[in-house]
Amino acid sequence: MIRKTIIPVLILFLNVFTTWAQDSVQVRRYLQDLCTPAMHGRGYAYNGDAVAADYIRNQFKRMEIAPYQYTDYYERYGFNVYSMEGPVAMRLNGKDLEPWTQFSFAPYSHSTHAEYSLLPIEPHVLVSRTALKEFCENNRKQLSSSLLYVDLSACEDENVKERVAERCRYLYLWNGEYGFKGLVLGVDEIPVWSFAFAKKQCDYVLCYVKSDLPKKKHNKVVLQCTNELRFHKTQNVCACIPGTEVPDSMVVIGAHYDHLGQMGDEVMFPGCHDNASGVATMLDMAHYFKEHPLRYTTVFVAFSGEEAGMMGSFFFVRDSLFDFSKLKLMLNLDLLCGGDDGFMVVNAQAENTKAFYSSLVELNRKRPMVKEIKSRPNAANSDHYPFARKGMPAVFVYTLGGKTGGYHAPSDTPENAGLSNYNAMVSLLIKGLERIGRP
């Protein structure tokens, strides 16, 4: 009796393990496809996100997974955002600098094709309206042909540094107020890109340069950058697999497919870890659930606009026709390469999500698959948030430790992505989803 029970279970375990080992190979293919130059970084430049959306839709079609709510899989919407296309360049004192490693334009910088002098200004002056106004009055003749240069690397006051960063994030609020053309910030490391502040018209040039480069008493720069604020038409990609027992209730598995796109023609952000990894995992799960459907309907949503402030998931929550009271769980997949130290579950201790989190922990305790499953409170840091904000059960899973290509950097490529923990992590998540609603 024992022998008859153990052998089939062992065979089943080996079959499942083999299946997931094969699927990790498919996931690697997804990553390669989503990070190719043809995707333009899945951003807003050259409509790269539209290319990615078409790819994801075709994967659902290939797996014969039906569209959800929209016959063509697309939930269309749009928002204002900057798009940087064409050449970008900085020539400092006659020397051409290397894009990204030596300089960058902020994603919301005003376009510029001109030569400027760098007019030094102290950081504490920049953050004081009174002092800045006085500085501009005293240097009015130079402002029309100069950019203010702030050497942040020489500033030892962390509070002043943060205030400078804050001013730069909301630079559009200064439009027309002081009369200068823009800012160049000298930094030790080129900061990461973020589109969260790239949705309003900014009239100032804003760029960063390694602080060890502009060392002359009188520095001159020639800048080239075309950056346009425009209404960007985009789409969420939605598909579903009907539930076997309770089809009018559902689980949503989501991942944002957009990334930063390009800093002009010179720099592309592949976005493997953030978030081709989440999209690849979602597609892999879709393949599994096509063959082993959940008792509840499973809705798959590839969100656009996350990098611009979760635009796609906010729109989905506002626009969707389904009854959110019948949502059993929204599982958001984001930043899933690496994982040597396990994974984090955001919003894991809410009353309507802690059962799912506890189930994952218990499954991992009985049969260890990942090093650790941690939890943290809810935060507005990914596409689970619009769901949780409306009181729906929603969690965000991301990996801890391990090999990735970095965050919001051109180095975030499939070649720098670790997947050695992928099979165990996804198998555990699937087991947790299959236990929802069961004793």
Side-chain angles (χ1 to χ4, degrees):
M1 182 69 177
I2 294 176
R3 186 181 301 273
K4 289 181 180 179
T5 302
I6 289 176
I7 291 174
V9 169
L10 180 59
I11 292 172
L12 177 61
F13 171 78
L14 290 174
N15 284 341
V16 170
F17 182 83
T18 302
T19 298
W20 283 108
Q22 292 169 342
D23 282 353
S24 66
V25 174
Q26 178 59 51
V27 165
R28 180 72 70 176
R29 293 194 189 102
Y30 287 143
L31 296 182
Q32 294 286 353
D33 291 345
L34 289 164
C35 296
T36 61
M39 296 280 180
H40 298 289
R42 305 189 308 281
Y44 317 119
Y46 302 110
N47 289 314
D49 65 340
V51 181
D54 186 60
Y55 172 85
I56 295 165
R57 174 170 62 177
N58 286 338
Q59 299 310 307
F60 285 133
K61 288 181 177 179
R62 180 181 60 81
M63 291 185 276
E64 298 182 345
I65 297 175
Y68 176 70
Q69 290 193 352
Y70 306 91
T71 57
D72 65 351
Y73 295 84
Y74 282 179
E75 179 187 42
R76 291 176 172 82
Y77 72 106
F79 53 90
N80 291 325
V81 71
Y82 271 99
S83 177
M84 195 178 298
E85 299 177 359
V88 295
M90 174 184 282
R91 176 175 291 180
L92 176 64
N93 300 323
K95 180 182 178 181
D96 292 327
L97 302 188
E98 191 70 27
W100 192 257
T101 57
Q102 293 183 311
F103 82 93
S104 74
F105 286 94
Y108 47 92
S109 172
H110 194 68
S111 296
T112 180
H113 301 272
E115 180 177 1
Y116 304 93
S117 296
L118 295 186
L119 184 60
I121 183 173
E122 293 296 324
H124 70 273
V125 175
L126 187 67
V127 298
S128 167
R129 285 187 174 272
T130 302
L132 179 59
K133 186 175 181 178
E134 182 179 352
F135 176 90
C136 291
E137 287 289 340
N138 293 337
N139 294 276
R140 183 162 299 280
K141 291 183 179 180
Q142 301 178 63
L143 292 184
S144 62
S145 60
S146 300
L147 298 176
L148 305 187
Y149 176 67
V150 186
D151 187 357
L152 284 181
S153 66
C155 180
E156 297 181 354
D157 189 325
E158 293 301 323
N159 180 54
V160 170
K161 281 186 176 181
E162 178 51 39
R163 289 173 65 194
V164 170
E166 184 77 1
R167 285 289 172 91
C168 289
R169 286 193 287 268
Y170 294 99
L171 196 56
Y172 64 87
L173 295 175
W174 289 6
N175 286 349
E177 187 169 349
Y178 293 101
F180 60 85
K181 296 292 185 180
L183 297 170
V184 178
L185 274 62
V187 293
D188 292 323
E189 298 294 335
I190 301 299
V192 299
W193 258 33
S194 172
F195 275 94
F197 304 94
K199 292 176 289 186
K200 293 183 180 294
Q201 179 69 44
C202 179
D203 294 340
Y204 297 98
V205 175
L206 178 59
C207 54
Y208 301 85
V209 64
K210 296 295 288 289
S211 58
D212 60 338
L213 298 175
K215 289 303 184 182
K216 290 187 176 183
K217 186 175 182 180
H218 300 289
N219 296 284
K220 287 189 175 294
V221 293
V222 179
L223 300 179
Q224 186 175 9
C225 169
T226 302
N227 199 22
E228 295 183 357
L229 181 68
R230 58 196 184 199
F231 186 77
H232 181 74
K233 295 180 180 179
T234 186
Q235 56 284 307
N236 297 323
V237 188
C238 311
C240 72
I241 297 172
T244 57
E245 298 177 25
V246 195
D248 65 335
S249 295
M250 62 202 65
V251 169
V252 172
I253 300 175
H256 78 87
Y257 67 89
D258 67 305
H259 191 53
L260 303 177
Q262 297 188 193
M263 188 182 82
D265 292 347
E266 279 68 31
V267 178
M268 189 188 85
F269 300 91
C272 180
H273 185 41
D274 183 18
N275 183 38
S277 63
V279 175
T281 303
M282 181 189 69
L283 291 173
D284 199 15
M285 286 185 164
H287 175 74
Y288 176 86
F289 287 126
K290 175 66 176 178
E291 303 300 322
H292 312 280
L294 291 172
R295 62 197 301 256
Y296 303 112
T297 292
T298 309
V299 176
F300 302 93
V301 187
F303 297 108
S304 64
E306 194 269 353
E307 299 293 356
M310 298 170 282
M311 304 298 288
S313 49
F314 270 115
F315 186 83
F316 182 85
V317 168
R318 289 196 305 269
D319 184 65
S320 185
L321 301 177
F322 76 71
D323 183 354
F324 285 118
S325 68
K326 295 186 176 181
L327 178 65
K328 299 302 179 182
L329 183 74
M330 189 277 172
L331 173 64
N332 178 43
L333 305 168
D334 197 351
L335 305 169
L336 293 183
C337 295
D340 290 1
D341 298 325
F343 61 83
M344 179 72 74
V345 183
V346 179
N347 197 35
Q349 300 299 335
E351 285 300 316
N352 56 6
T353 62
K354 61 184 178 182
F356 176 71
Y357 173 73
S358 298
S359 175
L360 294 178
V361 172
E362 180 64 13
L363 286 166
N364 197 52
R365 184 190 66 80
K366 289 182 176 178
R367 179 171 173 262
M369 301 180 77
V370 300
K371 183 176 180 180
E372 190 175 7
I373 305 174
K374 292 186 176 182
S375 69
R376 57 174 283 189
N378 194 25
N381 55 0
S382 194
D383 287 312
H384 71 291
Y385 182 73
F387 293 82
R389 186 168 172 264
K390 291 290 187 179
M392 290 176 270
V395 296
F396 161 29
V397 171
Y398 65 88
T399 52
L400 300 171
K403 184 182 178 184
T404 71
Y407 179 71
H408 284 201
S411 58
D412 185 11
T413 65
E415 292 73 24
N416 291 328
L419 292 179
S420 59
N421 302 287
Y422 175 82
N423 294 336
M425 175 187 68
V426 176
S427 295
L428 186 58
L429 290 173
I430 283 176
K431 290 178 185 296
L433 291 171
E434 290 176 332
R435 289 181 63 171
I436 292 176
R438 299 192 181 279

PDB file of all heavy atoms in Angstrom, residues 3 11 16 77 121 140 148 159 174 178 190 207 241 253 268 287 291 299 307 310 314 354 363 399 428:
ATOM      1  N   ARG A   3       4.051   1.385  -0.876  1.00  0.00           N
ATOM      2  CA  ARG A   3       4.839   1.386  -2.096  1.00  0.00           C
ATOM      3  C   ARG A   3       4.007   1.899  -3.270  1.00  0.00           C
ATOM      4  O   ARG A   3       4.462   2.688  -4.092  1.00  0.00           O
ATOM      5  CB  ARG A   3       5.345  -0.037  -2.377  1.00  0.00           C
ATOM      6  CG  ARG A   3       6.304  -0.107  -3.569  1.00  0.00           C
ATOM      7  CD  ARG A   3       6.727  -1.536  -3.797  1.00  0.00           C
ATOM      8  NE  ARG A   3       7.372  -2.106  -2.654  1.00  0.00           N
ATOM      9  CZ  ARG A   3       8.678  -1.990  -2.417  1.00  0.00           C
ATOM     10  NH1 ARG A   3       9.425  -1.293  -3.247  1.00  0.00           N
ATOM     11  NH2 ARG A   3       9.206  -2.531  -1.346  1.00  0.00           N
ATOM     12  N   ILE A  11       6.697   9.919  -9.190  1.00  0.00           N
ATOM     13  CA  ILE A  11       6.650  10.172 -10.640  1.00  0.00           C
ATOM     14  C   ILE A  11       6.030  11.535 -10.919  1.00  0.00           C
ATOM     15  O   ILE A  11       6.521  12.301 -11.750  1.00  0.00           O
ATOM     16  CB  ILE A  11       5.853   9.055 -11.352  1.00  0.00           C
ATOM     17  CG1 ILE A  11       6.632   7.742 -11.281  1.00  0.00           C
ATOM     18  CG2 ILE A  11       5.572   9.434 -12.806  1.00  0.00           C
ATOM     19  CD1 ILE A  11       5.844   6.540 -11.782  1.00  0.00           C
ATOM     20  N   VAL A  16       6.526  17.200 -12.620  1.00  0.00           N
ATOM     21  CA  VAL A  16       6.354  18.626 -12.368  1.00  0.00           C
ATOM     22  C   VAL A  16       7.699  19.327 -12.400  1.00  0.00           C
ATOM     23  O   VAL A  16       7.872  20.384 -12.999  1.00  0.00           O
ATOM     24  CB  VAL A  16       5.644  18.863 -11.010  1.00  0.00           C
ATOM     25  CG1 VAL A  16       5.697  20.343 -10.648  1.00  0.00           C
ATOM     26  CG2 VAL A  16       4.207  18.376 -11.079  1.00  0.00           C
ATOM     27  N   TYR A  77      -5.994  53.277 -23.440  1.00  0.00           N
ATOM     28  CA  TYR A  77      -6.075  54.540 -22.695  1.00  0.00           C
ATOM     29  C   TYR A  77      -4.842  55.354 -23.064  1.00  0.00           C
ATOM     30  O   TYR A  77      -4.107  54.996 -23.992  1.00  0.00           O
ATOM     31  CB  TYR A  77      -6.152  54.281 -21.184  1.00  0.00           C
ATOM     32  CG  TYR A  77      -4.846  53.795 -20.587  1.00  0.00           C
ATOM     33  CD1 TYR A  77      -4.067  54.637 -19.798  1.00  0.00           C
ATOM     34  CD2 TYR A  77      -4.373  52.497 -20.815  1.00  0.00           C
ATOM     35  CE1 TYR A  77      -2.862  54.211 -19.265  1.00  0.00           C
ATOM     36  CE2 TYR A  77      -3.177  52.068 -20.277  1.00  0.00           C
ATOM     37  CZ  TYR A  77      -2.423  52.937 -19.510  1.00  0.00           C
ATOM     38  OH  TYR A  77      -1.226  52.511 -18.981  1.00  0.00           O
ATOM     39  N   ILE A 121      26.988  77.650  -9.087  1.00  0.00           N
ATOM     40  CA  ILE A 121      26.110  78.109  -8.018  1.00  0.00           C
ATOM     41  C   ILE A 121      26.187  77.099  -6.884  1.00  0.00           C
ATOM     42  O   ILE A 121      26.268  75.888  -7.112  1.00  0.00           O
ATOM     43  CB  ILE A 121      24.655  78.280  -8.528  1.00  0.00           C
ATOM     44  CG1 ILE A 121      23.754  78.823  -7.417  1.00  0.00           C
ATOM     45  CG2 ILE A 121      24.107  76.984  -9.089  1.00  0.00           C
ATOM     46  CD1 ILE A 121      22.339  79.176  -7.912  1.00  0.00           C
ATOM     47  N   ARG A 140      22.259  88.451 -14.196  1.00  0.00           N
ATOM     48  CA  ARG A 140      21.233  88.482 -15.227  1.00  0.00           C
ATOM     49  C   ARG A 140      21.822  88.494 -16.639  1.00  0.00           C
ATOM     50  O   ARG A 140      21.283  87.845 -17.547  1.00  0.00           O
ATOM     51  CB  ARG A 140      20.329  89.707 -15.014  1.00  0.00           C
ATOM     52  CG  ARG A 140      19.173  89.788 -16.006  1.00  0.00           C
ATOM     53  CD  ARG A 140      18.082  90.714 -15.512  1.00  0.00           C
ATOM     54  NE  ARG A 140      17.529  90.249 -14.260  1.00  0.00           N
ATOM     55  CZ  ARG A 140      16.628  89.285 -14.137  1.00  0.00           C
ATOM     56  NH1 ARG A 140      16.215  88.642 -15.225  1.00  0.00           N
ATOM     57  NH2 ARG A 140      16.173  88.935 -12.960  1.00  0.00           N
ATOM     58  N   LEU A 148      23.064  76.867 -15.027  1.00  0.00           N
ATOM     59  CA  LEU A 148      23.589  76.856 -13.663  1.00  0.00           C
ATOM     60  C   LEU A 148      24.252  75.517 -13.393  1.00  0.00           C
ATOM     61  O   LEU A 148      23.685  74.455 -13.697  1.00  0.00           O
ATOM     62  CB  LEU A 148      22.467  77.097 -12.655  1.00  0.00           C
ATOM     63  CG  LEU A 148      21.617  78.364 -12.836  1.00  0.00           C
ATOM     64  CD1 LEU A 148      20.674  78.538 -11.651  1.00  0.00           C
ATOM     65  CD2 LEU A 148      22.490  79.589 -13.033  1.00  0.00           C
ATOM     66  N   ASN A 159      21.056  66.879   3.821  1.00  0.00           N
ATOM     67  CA  ASN A 159      19.738  67.519   3.755  1.00  0.00           C
ATOM     68  C   ASN A 159      19.650  68.460   2.559  1.00  0.00           C
ATOM     69  O   ASN A 159      18.644  68.481   1.834  1.00  0.00           O
ATOM     70  CB  ASN A 159      19.472  68.283   5.044  1.00  0.00           C
ATOM     71  CG  ASN A 159      18.119  68.977   5.029  1.00  0.00           C
ATOM     72  OD1 ASN A 159      17.086  68.361   4.801  1.00  0.00           O
ATOM     73  ND2 ASN A 159      18.128  70.299   5.242  1.00  0.00           N
ATOM     74  N   TRP A 174       9.013  75.771 -11.454  1.00  0.00           N
ATOM     75  CA  TRP A 174       9.768  77.017 -11.586  1.00  0.00           C
ATOM     76  C   TRP A 174       9.607  77.645 -12.966  1.00  0.00           C
ATOM     77  O   TRP A 174      10.243  78.656 -13.253  1.00  0.00           O
ATOM     78  CB  TRP A 174      11.260  76.745 -11.366  1.00  0.00           C
ATOM     79  CG  TRP A 174      11.642  76.434  -9.954  1.00  0.00           C
ATOM     80  CD1 TRP A 174      10.811  76.264  -8.898  1.00  0.00           C
ATOM     81  CD2 TRP A 174      12.970  76.261  -9.469  1.00  0.00           C
ATOM     82  NE1 TRP A 174      11.543  75.970  -7.771  1.00  0.00           N
ATOM     83  CE2 TRP A 174      12.875  75.972  -8.084  1.00  0.00           C
ATOM     84  CE3 TRP A 174      14.233  76.309 -10.051  1.00  0.00           C
ATOM     85  CZ2 TRP A 174      13.986  75.739  -7.295  1.00  0.00           C
ATOM     86  CZ3 TRP A 174      15.341  76.080  -9.256  1.00  0.00           C
ATOM     87  CH2 TRP A 174      15.225  75.806  -7.892  1.00  0.00           C
ATOM     88  N   TYR A 178      12.637  82.335 -12.863  1.00  0.00           N
ATOM     89  CA  TYR A 178      13.947  82.894 -12.532  1.00  0.00           C
ATOM     90  C   TYR A 178      14.758  83.357 -13.742  1.00  0.00           C
ATOM     91  O   TYR A 178      15.729  84.081 -13.595  1.00  0.00           O
ATOM     92  CB  TYR A 178      14.771  81.869 -11.748  1.00  0.00           C
ATOM     93  CG  TYR A 178      14.196  81.585 -10.381  1.00  0.00           C
ATOM     94  CD1 TYR A 178      13.441  80.442 -10.155  1.00  0.00           C
ATOM     95  CD2 TYR A 178      14.386  82.471  -9.335  1.00  0.00           C
ATOM     96  CE1 TYR A 178      12.900  80.185  -8.909  1.00  0.00           C
ATOM     97  CE2 TYR A 178      13.851  82.238  -8.085  1.00  0.00           C
ATOM     98  CZ  TYR A 178      13.099  81.089  -7.879  1.00  0.00           C
ATOM     99  OH  TYR A 178      12.565  80.848  -6.649  1.00  0.00           O
ATOM    100  N   ILE A 190      25.869  58.771 -12.025  1.00  0.00           N
ATOM    101  CA  ILE A 190      24.699  59.204 -12.797  1.00  0.00           C
ATOM    102  C   ILE A 190      23.447  58.603 -12.168  1.00  0.00           C
ATOM    103  O   ILE A 190      23.372  57.380 -11.963  1.00  0.00           O
ATOM    104  CB  ILE A 190      24.819  58.758 -14.269  1.00  0.00           C
ATOM    105  CG1 ILE A 190      26.086  59.342 -14.907  1.00  0.00           C
ATOM    106  CG2 ILE A 190      23.574  59.156 -15.049  1.00  0.00           C
ATOM    107  CD1 ILE A 190      26.138  60.851 -14.954  1.00  0.00           C
ATOM    108  N   CYS A 207      20.417  68.227 -16.867  1.00  0.00           N
ATOM    109  CA  CYS A 207      21.292  67.094 -17.168  1.00  0.00           C
ATOM    110  C   CYS A 207      22.297  66.902 -16.040  1.00  0.00           C
ATOM    111  O   CYS A 207      22.473  67.771 -15.164  1.00  0.00           O
ATOM    112  CB  CYS A 207      21.991  67.256 -18.511  1.00  0.00           C
ATOM    113  SG  CYS A 207      22.907  68.779 -18.720  1.00  0.00           S
ATOM    114  N   ILE A 241      -8.552  32.754 -18.318  1.00  0.00           N
ATOM    115  CA  ILE A 241      -8.844  31.320 -18.375  1.00  0.00           C
ATOM    116  C   ILE A 241     -10.019  31.076 -17.436  1.00  0.00           C
ATOM    117  O   ILE A 241      -9.924  31.360 -16.235  1.00  0.00           O
ATOM    118  CB  ILE A 241      -7.629  30.490 -17.936  1.00  0.00           C
ATOM    119  CG1 ILE A 241      -6.450  30.723 -18.894  1.00  0.00           C
ATOM    120  CG2 ILE A 241      -7.984  29.009 -17.868  1.00  0.00           C
ATOM    121  CD1 ILE A 241      -5.149  30.082 -18.428  1.00  0.00           C
ATOM    122  N   ILE A 253      -3.583  37.898 -12.117  1.00  0.00           N
ATOM    123  CA  ILE A 253      -2.127  37.831 -12.120  1.00  0.00           C
ATOM    124  C   ILE A 253      -1.640  38.926 -13.058  1.00  0.00           C
ATOM    125  O   ILE A 253      -1.975  38.930 -14.245  1.00  0.00           O
ATOM    126  CB  ILE A 253      -1.618  36.454 -12.589  1.00  0.00           C
ATOM    127  CG1 ILE A 253      -2.141  35.365 -11.648  1.00  0.00           C
ATOM    128  CG2 ILE A 253      -0.090  36.437 -12.648  1.00  0.00           C
ATOM    129  CD1 ILE A 253      -1.795  33.951 -12.102  1.00  0.00           C
ATOM    130  N   MET A 268      19.716  52.596 -24.562  1.00  0.00           N
ATOM    131  CA  MET A 268      18.477  51.848 -24.385  1.00  0.00           C
ATOM    132  C   MET A 268      18.493  51.160 -23.026  1.00  0.00           C
ATOM    133  O   MET A 268      19.530  50.656 -22.582  1.00  0.00           O
ATOM    134  CB  MET A 268      18.309  50.796 -25.483  1.00  0.00           C
ATOM    135  CG  MET A 268      16.930  50.132 -25.465  1.00  0.00           C
ATOM    136  SD  MET A 268      16.779  48.729 -26.598  1.00  0.00           S
ATOM    137  CE  MET A 268      17.432  47.400 -25.587  1.00  0.00           C
ATOM    138  N   HIS A 287       0.712  29.618 -19.274  1.00  0.00           N
ATOM    139  CA  HIS A 287       0.901  28.321 -19.934  1.00  0.00           C
ATOM    140  C   HIS A 287       0.532  27.172 -18.995  1.00  0.00           C
ATOM    141  O   HIS A 287      -0.151  26.216 -19.390  1.00  0.00           O
ATOM    142  CB  HIS A 287       2.358  28.188 -20.378  1.00  0.00           C
ATOM    143  CG  HIS A 287       2.696  26.850 -20.951  1.00  0.00           C
ATOM    144  ND1 HIS A 287       2.296  26.447 -22.208  1.00  0.00           N
ATOM    145  CD2 HIS A 287       3.377  25.798 -20.428  1.00  0.00           C
ATOM    146  CE1 HIS A 287       2.728  25.220 -22.434  1.00  0.00           C
ATOM    147  NE2 HIS A 287       3.379  24.801 -21.377  1.00  0.00           N
ATOM    148  N   GLU A 291      -3.287  24.470 -18.889  1.00  0.00           N
ATOM    149  CA  GLU A 291      -3.366  23.013 -18.751  1.00  0.00           C
ATOM    150  C   GLU A 291      -3.945  22.578 -17.410  1.00  0.00           C
ATOM    151  O   GLU A 291      -4.516  21.493 -17.293  1.00  0.00           O
ATOM    152  CB  GLU A 291      -1.969  22.400 -18.930  1.00  0.00           C
ATOM    153  CG  GLU A 291      -1.300  22.730 -20.248  1.00  0.00           C
ATOM    154  CD  GLU A 291      -2.106  22.243 -21.433  1.00  0.00           C
ATOM    155  OE1 GLU A 291      -2.688  21.136 -21.335  1.00  0.00           O
ATOM    156  OE2 GLU A 291      -2.169  22.954 -22.459  1.00  0.00           O
ATOM    157  N   VAL A 299      -7.472  35.871 -14.490  1.00  0.00           N
ATOM    158  CA  VAL A 299      -7.319  37.002 -15.409  1.00  0.00           C
ATOM    159  C   VAL A 299      -5.851  37.409 -15.418  1.00  0.00           C
ATOM    160  O   VAL A 299      -5.238  37.608 -14.359  1.00  0.00           O
ATOM    161  CB  VAL A 299      -8.199  38.194 -14.984  1.00  0.00           C
ATOM    162  CG1 VAL A 299      -7.964  39.400 -15.902  1.00  0.00           C
ATOM    163  CG2 VAL A 299      -9.660  37.802 -14.988  1.00  0.00           C
ATOM    164  N   GLU A 307       5.859  52.739 -15.045  1.00  0.00           N
ATOM    165  CA  GLU A 307       6.996  53.620 -14.783  1.00  0.00           C
ATOM    166  C   GLU A 307       6.583  55.088 -14.731  1.00  0.00           C
ATOM    167  O   GLU A 307       7.312  55.926 -14.188  1.00  0.00           O
ATOM    168  CB  GLU A 307       8.080  53.417 -15.844  1.00  0.00           C
ATOM    169  CG  GLU A 307       8.668  52.008 -15.915  1.00  0.00           C
ATOM    170  CD  GLU A 307       9.466  51.630 -14.677  1.00  0.00           C
ATOM    171  OE1 GLU A 307       9.638  52.484 -13.781  1.00  0.00           O
ATOM    172  OE2 GLU A 307       9.922  50.476 -14.603  1.00  0.00           O
ATOM    173  N   MET A 310       2.102  54.021 -12.331  1.00  0.00           N
ATOM    174  CA  MET A 310       1.057  52.989 -12.268  1.00  0.00           C
ATOM    175  C   MET A 310      -0.194  53.400 -13.049  1.00  0.00           C
ATOM    176  O   MET A 310      -1.324  53.147 -12.642  1.00  0.00           O
ATOM    177  CB  MET A 310       0.704  52.674 -10.812  1.00  0.00           C
ATOM    178  CG  MET A 310       1.854  52.121 -10.005  1.00  0.00           C
ATOM    179  SD  MET A 310       1.510  52.015  -8.233  1.00  0.00           S
ATOM    180  CE  MET A 310       1.715  53.722  -7.749  1.00  0.00           C
ATOM    181  N   PHE A 314      -4.047  51.746 -12.450  1.00  0.00           N
ATOM    182  CA  PHE A 314      -5.089  52.664 -11.983  1.00  0.00           C
ATOM    183  C   PHE A 314      -6.239  52.703 -12.992  1.00  0.00           C
ATOM    184  O   PHE A 314      -7.413  52.696 -12.614  1.00  0.00           O
ATOM    185  CB  PHE A 314      -4.518  54.071 -11.773  1.00  0.00           C
ATOM    186  CG  PHE A 314      -3.986  54.304 -10.391  1.00  0.00           C
ATOM    187  CD1 PHE A 314      -2.632  54.528 -10.178  1.00  0.00           C
ATOM    188  CD2 PHE A 314      -4.833  54.307  -9.293  1.00  0.00           C
ATOM    189  CE1 PHE A 314      -2.134  54.749  -8.904  1.00  0.00           C
ATOM    190  CE2 PHE A 314      -4.357  54.531  -8.007  1.00  0.00           C
ATOM    191  CZ  PHE A 314      -2.994  54.752  -7.812  1.00  0.00           C
ATOM    192  N   LYS A 354      -3.368  37.996   4.318  1.00  0.00           N
ATOM    193  CA  LYS A 354      -2.444  37.252   5.187  1.00  0.00           C
ATOM    194  C   LYS A 354      -2.643  35.744   5.099  1.00  0.00           C
ATOM    195  O   LYS A 354      -1.706  34.986   5.354  1.00  0.00           O
ATOM    196  CB  LYS A 354      -2.532  37.734   6.628  1.00  0.00           C
ATOM    197  CG  LYS A 354      -3.877  37.583   7.304  1.00  0.00           C
ATOM    198  CD  LYS A 354      -3.798  38.212   8.704  1.00  0.00           C
ATOM    199  CE  LYS A 354      -5.113  38.139   9.442  1.00  0.00           C
ATOM    200  NZ  LYS A 354      -5.044  38.785  10.772  1.00  0.00           N
ATOM    201  N   LEU A 363       3.774  26.211   3.149  1.00  0.00           N
ATOM    202  CA  LEU A 363       4.239  25.323   2.071  1.00  0.00           C
ATOM    203  C   LEU A 363       5.760  25.256   2.049  1.00  0.00           C
ATOM    204  O   LEU A 363       6.349  24.184   1.885  1.00  0.00           O
ATOM    205  CB  LEU A 363       3.721  25.823   0.724  1.00  0.00           C
ATOM    206  CG  LEU A 363       2.239  25.600   0.420  1.00  0.00           C
ATOM    207  CD1 LEU A 363       1.809  26.448  -0.784  1.00  0.00           C
ATOM    208  CD2 LEU A 363       1.960  24.124   0.158  1.00  0.00           C
ATOM    209  N   THR A 399      11.872  39.498  -5.769  1.00  0.00           N
ATOM    210  CA  THR A 399      12.934  38.644  -5.253  1.00  0.00           C
ATOM    211  C   THR A 399      13.902  39.422  -4.365  1.00  0.00           C
ATOM    212  O   THR A 399      14.007  40.651  -4.436  1.00  0.00           O
ATOM    213  CB  THR A 399      13.724  37.996  -6.398  1.00  0.00           C
ATOM    214  OG1 THR A 399      14.140  39.015  -7.303  1.00  0.00           O
ATOM    215  CG2 THR A 399      12.878  36.974  -7.131  1.00  0.00           C
ATOM    216  N   LEU A 428       6.222  27.412  -6.039  1.00  0.00           N
ATOM    217  CA  LEU A 428       5.640  27.759  -4.741  1.00  0.00           C
ATOM    218  C   LEU A 428       4.463  28.717  -4.900  1.00  0.00           C
ATOM    219  O   LEU A 428       3.408  28.536  -4.270  1.00  0.00           O
ATOM    220  CB  LEU A 428       6.726  28.379  -3.861  1.00  0.00           C
ATOM    221  CG  LEU A 428       6.353  28.693  -2.408  1.00  0.00           C
ATOM    222  CD1 LEU A 428       5.880  27.441  -1.680  1.00  0.00           C
ATOM    223  CD2 LEU A 428       7.558  29.303  -1.681  1.00  0.00           C
TER     224      LEU A 428
END
